[in-house]
Amino acid sequence: MKLQQYTRHDFWIAGSILPAYILAFNYLLVEDYYYSSPQVFAGMSLITLVFGSIVYQFVHTPVALWFRQQYRSQRQILKRTLLMLPVHILINSHTILLFFMLGGLLGFHRYPWERLPWCLLLGMMLNVVLVCINEGVYAFEQWESKLQETEELKKANLQSQFESLQQQINPHFLFNSLNSLSSLIEEDPGQARKFVDELGSVYRYLLRSNESELTTLAEELRFANSYFHLLRTRYGEAIRMEQAIDPAFEEYLLPPLTLQLLLENVVKHNVILPEQPVLVHLETRHDGRLVIRNNVQRRPVRALSGQVGLANIAKKYSLLGEGEIEVSDDDQYFTVSLPLLPKAVLV
């Protein structure tokens, strides 16, 4: 059976404090009798250690973990500590009282009741020290874990940016973009200027996408529209995008470049022809999820893919710890559902 732990250093903390408490507690109980013989000293110490360890592991620890579940945020450390302290003190007081009541049955001594207040005071001091140390260590562990997750998220964002930028600047993409621009300059100078503006917007967003781990849905949609304009210039009416976005979710958050990676997958894996158009549909749902769906028209020869884009998005959400992506492919529609993150969750 795996024992529950208050913190990762729980046993070291308890092991360094409890021996001193056991010595002081037993001396308060019976004074010099505690040291009257090796048998008495060893016996009382062992009984106190076993009794205290059982209560600590199976009563105090579950209570602490329950409070930790209820008040998880780092900003709630003080509130959590102030709420759990009286509970721990109450538990410890009842434990000491029970210990006194069973004193005559332990085979040593009937513990004098006039010593009870001193034992309760010692127990209260132990609770304050242990709770403060454990909460301090746990706060440090949270900070350390958050720092590590932030670094991993930054790496995932940089990897995503690199993959997206690599895709945009590869010769094939540049050739198509410049070819489209060349045609537009002669046919429609106004559209050519629009194309250059959108291409600039795409690259600006790519270059600053590593500045933060998250962006608003509104910002991501603006970028997706710029990117889609480039696709539309290349494929014309063969590719279309519909949006049903509830304005209430526009300030919700998601990892940057998420939509670009998904749109890139649509182009990479589907036939896109005037007689076989692809429709991309974006919508927000009442449960706070963003859904991206496209009709499936697989290429005769599938493009090589390790599902890097989807894996990258999934990794980011895993590091954030705020929901998972859902992928569905029924050969008619390919659907990806993403959780949108309210800003309050990440405070």
Side-chain angles (χ1 to χ4, degrees):
M1 180 181 68
K2 186 177 179 180
L3 297 178
Q4 291 182 307
Q5 284 187 265
Y6 197 176
T7 73
R8 292 198 301 267
H9 302 86
D10 193 23
F11 298 127
W12 289 103
I13 295 170
S16 62
I17 294 176
L18 287 180
Y21 173 74
I22 289 169
L23 293 174
F25 180 79
N26 282 313
Y27 183 77
L28 281 176
L29 282 177
V30 293
E31 292 186 339
D32 292 337
Y33 177 69
Y34 182 42
Y35 302 104
S36 62
S37 71
Q39 293 85 356
V40 170
F41 178 82
M44 290 189 68
S45 298
L46 180 62
I47 289 172
T48 310
L49 175 63
V50 171
F51 196 76
S53 298
I54 290 173
V55 174
Y56 182 82
Q57 176 61 44
F58 296 103
V59 183
H60 285 286
T61 299
V63 166
L65 295 177
W66 182 86
F67 273 103
R68 192 164 289 169
Q69 281 294 111
Q70 301 303 309
Y71 306 97
R72 300 172 61 182
S73 169
Q74 284 185 304
R75 297 176 61 185
Q76 295 177 308
I77 291 175
L78 181 59
K79 181 178 181 180
R80 183 173 67 232
T81 302
L82 293 177
L83 286 174
M84 74 164 65
L85 256 177
V87 178
H88 282 301
I89 290 171
L90 186 64
I91 292 170
N92 198 56
S93 297
H94 281 81
T95 302
I96 293 171
L97 186 61
L98 178 63
F99 201 80
F100 265 78
M101 293 172 65
L102 296 175
L105 302 176
L106 297 178
F108 288 114
H109 215 271
R110 286 193 176 277
Y111 304 134
W113 285 92
E114 61 269 18
R115 301 188 188 278
L116 178 60
W118 293 104
C119 291
L120 291 175
L121 180 61
L122 179 66
M124 185 184 302
M125 292 170 60
L126 174 71
N127 285 138
V128 172
V129 170
L130 275 177
V131 168
C132 290
I133 290 176
N134 276 316
E135 284 301 307
V137 169
Y138 180 65
F140 176 77
E141 290 175 355
Q142 272 191 312
W143 173 81
E144 191 177 41
S145 176
K146 192 71 175 177
L147 185 63
Q148 183 178 355
E149 288 179 1
T150 300
E151 288 303 314
E152 290 183 18
L153 192 55
K154 284 181 179 178
K155 288 179 183 178
N157 272 335
L158 287 172
Q159 179 66 23
S160 173
Q161 183 198 21
F162 173 76
E163 290 165 1
S164 298
L165 194 56
Q166 187 181 47
Q167 176 67 21
Q168 304 309 333
I169 63 176
N170 71 46
H172 182 67
F173 178 83
L174 281 178
F175 175 80
N176 285 323
S177 297
L178 294 175
N179 192 43
S180 299
L181 180 59
S182 178
S183 300
L184 284 173
I185 289 172
E186 294 183 5
E187 297 172 7
D188 191 339
Q191 277 293 93
R193 285 193 295 272
K194 175 68 174 172
F195 183 87
V196 171
D197 288 342
E198 299 296 353
L199 187 60
S201 296
V202 166
Y203 279 101
R204 278 194 298 274
Y205 190 84
L206 286 169
L207 291 171
R208 63 183 174 85
S209 63
N210 66 330
E211 293 177 1
S212 60
E213 291 79 23
L214 295 166
T215 188
T216 64
L217 177 59
E219 283 286 331
E220 186 74 358
L221 286 171
R222 277 193 286 273
F223 166 71
N225 288 331
S226 294
Y227 181 73
F228 191 78
H229 182 87
L230 305 184
L231 298 178
R232 191 66 184 273
T233 303
R234 178 181 173 189
Y235 293 104
E237 292 295 323
I239 188 167
R240 298 193 297 273
M241 183 166 67
E242 295 178 345
Q243 297 184 25
I245 305 298
D246 186 342
F249 292 107
E250 287 186 349
E251 292 305 308
Y252 277 53
L253 305 173
L254 73 166
L257 302 178
T258 296
L259 293 181
Q260 189 272 339
L261 290 170
L262 294 175
L263 288 172
E264 186 180 295
N265 277 349
V266 173
V267 174
K268 185 176 182 180
H269 297 291
N270 291 280
V271 172
I272 305 176
L273 296 170
E275 61 274 16
Q276 290 179 277
V278 168
L279 174 63
V280 181
H281 182 78
L282 279 66
E283 69 174 6
T284 49
R285 294 184 177 170
H286 68 278
D287 59 353
R289 296 185 75 87
L290 176 67
V291 178
I292 303 93
R293 184 179 67 250
N294 65 274
N295 55 314
V296 174
Q297 298 177 160
R298 301 193 197 283
R299 293 177 180 270
V301 178
R302 294 195 180 186
L304 293 176
S305 173
Q307 293 191 325
V308 175
L310 285 173
N312 190 294
I313 296 169
K315 175 67 173 176
K316 289 179 182 179
Y317 275 99
S318 174
L319 291 173
L320 289 168
E322 295 292 343
E324 298 180 350
I325 71 169
E326 298 172 1
V327 180
S328 170
D329 184 358
D330 60 7
D331 289 326
Q332 185 176 4
Y333 293 101
F334 186 83
T335 306
V336 179
S337 173
L338 309 163
L340 295 172
L341 312 177
K343 291 182 179 180
V345 170
L346 303 174
V347 174

